[in-house]
Amino acid sequence: VELTLSPPMRGLEALVEQRLHGRAFQDLGRLAVLLPEDPAVVQLIADLHRELGQWDIALELYRRVLLHEPDNVWAEIDIGGYYFFKEDYRSARRHYQTAVEAATDKELERESVVAYYNLSQAYYYNRLFDEAQVALQEAQGLDAGMVGRLQRQTGQQQVVTFSGGVARAPEIRRRLAGRLLHQRPVRHQVLLVQSRKIKPAIAQQVLCLRLAGRKSDRSAADEGGGHE
């Protein structure tokens, strides 16, 4: 329960469940501080900035992900999306082609379909119609039904982006739990050391109070005798 209610874990769950509010952003900041170089967390924060329309920040974060994970298909696809929406179709094609190769090497069929589909769109808007048709046929050859759904769903967006960091939430939960559990013994050890330093002072105070109590008892007895 303690781990579930921790601010970093709360922030993660808020993003997964799309319950974003002021406190959630603070909690996600704690998560980023706790696991600053974890590529899954970096990708998660990149997804957040992309969803908020902060594409320039998201781009830099996706690039950081690729430094740690050069074959991260979804980071490549989302960077391709950045350039596509900037109408830099040549750069978009380059990233989509890299995503196609990475997805093929890792035998990721769904990712391959999306990468080919986006690549076909980049070719099309670059007026390379023959290449666009070839890429689209590659996607349809893998999963024609999925391509049909993508064509209906993308609409004005034209290409597919994906919250790859959000999809890695189970992985982030495990690493975060391990980090939080690892921190707890350290904190308890520090408190133990501090308590050992405090104990003699407490004992001395107790001794002083006892002596003072004895003196008070004697004084009271003496005063009682004097009144008699």
Side-chain angles (χ1 to χ4, degrees), residues 38-47 50 55 57-85 91-92 94-100 102-103 106 108 110-111 114-115 118 160-168:
D38 188 293
V41 173
V42 175
Q43 190 168 3
L44 180 80
I45 303 302
D47 291 342
R50 177 175 54 78
W55 270 97
I57 299 174
L59 175 65
E60 294 306 314
L61 292 172
Y62 286 131
R63 285 173 171 166
R64 279 179 55 190
V65 173
L66 290 177
L67 289 176
H68 294 279
E69 300 174 339
D71 59 348
N72 188 307
V73 178
W74 283 112
E76 287 285 4
I77 287 175
D78 287 334
I79 291 176
Y82 169 87
Y83 286 111
F84 186 94
F85 297 129
S91 295
R94 185 174 70 251
H95 286 282
Y96 290 145
Q97 185 63 55
T98 301
V100 164
K106 298 171 75 171
L108 301 173
R110 181 184 63 161
E111 285 78 357
V114 172
N118 285 357
V160 179
T161 55
F162 184 78
S163 296
V166 174
R168 300 175 74 173

Side-chain angles (χ1 to χ4, degrees), residues 7-181:
M9 198 71 79
R10 282 201 314 257
L12 173 61
E13 299 307 328
L15 183 54
V16 170
E17 298 171 12
Q18 296 185 336
R19 295 183 289 102
L20 295 177
H21 47 77
R23 185 175 180 178
F25 290 108
Q26 293 175 356
D27 292 342
L28 285 167
R30 298 281 294 277
L31 173 61
V33 169
L34 198 59
L35 297 171
E37 298 302 321
D38 188 293
V41 173
V42 175
Q43 190 168 3
L44 180 80
I45 303 302
D47 291 342
L48 172 62
H49 285 289
R50 177 175 54 78
E51 289 293 332
L52 294 173
Q54 298 169 341
W55 270 97
D56 290 333
I57 299 174
L59 175 65
E60 294 306 314
L61 292 172
Y62 286 131
R63 285 173 171 166
R64 279 179 55 190
V65 173
L66 290 177
L67 289 176
H68 294 279
E69 300 174 339
D71 59 348
N72 188 307
V73 178
W74 283 112
E76 287 285 4
I77 287 175
D78 287 334
I79 291 176
Y82 169 87
Y83 286 111
F84 186 94
F85 297 129
K86 291 286 186 180
E87 299 183 0
D88 183 352
Y89 302 119
R90 179 176 296 180
S91 295
R93 277 165 33 206
R94 185 174 70 251
H95 286 282
Y96 290 145
Q97 185 63 55
T98 301
V100 164
E101 294 167 0
T104 301
D105 290 343
K106 298 171 75 171
E107 298 182 352
L108 301 173
E109 184 173 298
R110 181 184 63 161
E111 285 78 357
S112 293
V113 173
V114 172
Y116 271 121
Y117 175 78
N118 285 357
L119 180 60
S120 73
Q121 293 291 83
Y123 275 130
Y124 181 84
Y125 281 89
N126 217 176
R127 298 184 179 279
L128 298 171
F129 302 118
D130 291 340
E131 290 86 345
Q133 187 61 31
V134 170
L136 183 61
Q137 289 174 348
E138 289 285 355
Q140 291 171 329
L142 291 168
D143 192 332
M146 183 176 177
V147 171
R149 291 192 297 274
L150 292 177
Q151 289 173 325
R152 291 191 297 271
Q153 292 170 3
T154 52
Q156 294 298 318
Q157 182 172 313
Q158 293 128 6
V159 294
V160 179
T161 55
F162 184 78
S163 296
V166 174
R168 300 175 74 173
E171 175 186 348
I172 296 172
R173 287 190 194 100
R174 288 193 300 271
R175 292 179 183 172
L176 179 57
R179 182 63 182 272
L180 291 172
L181 288 171

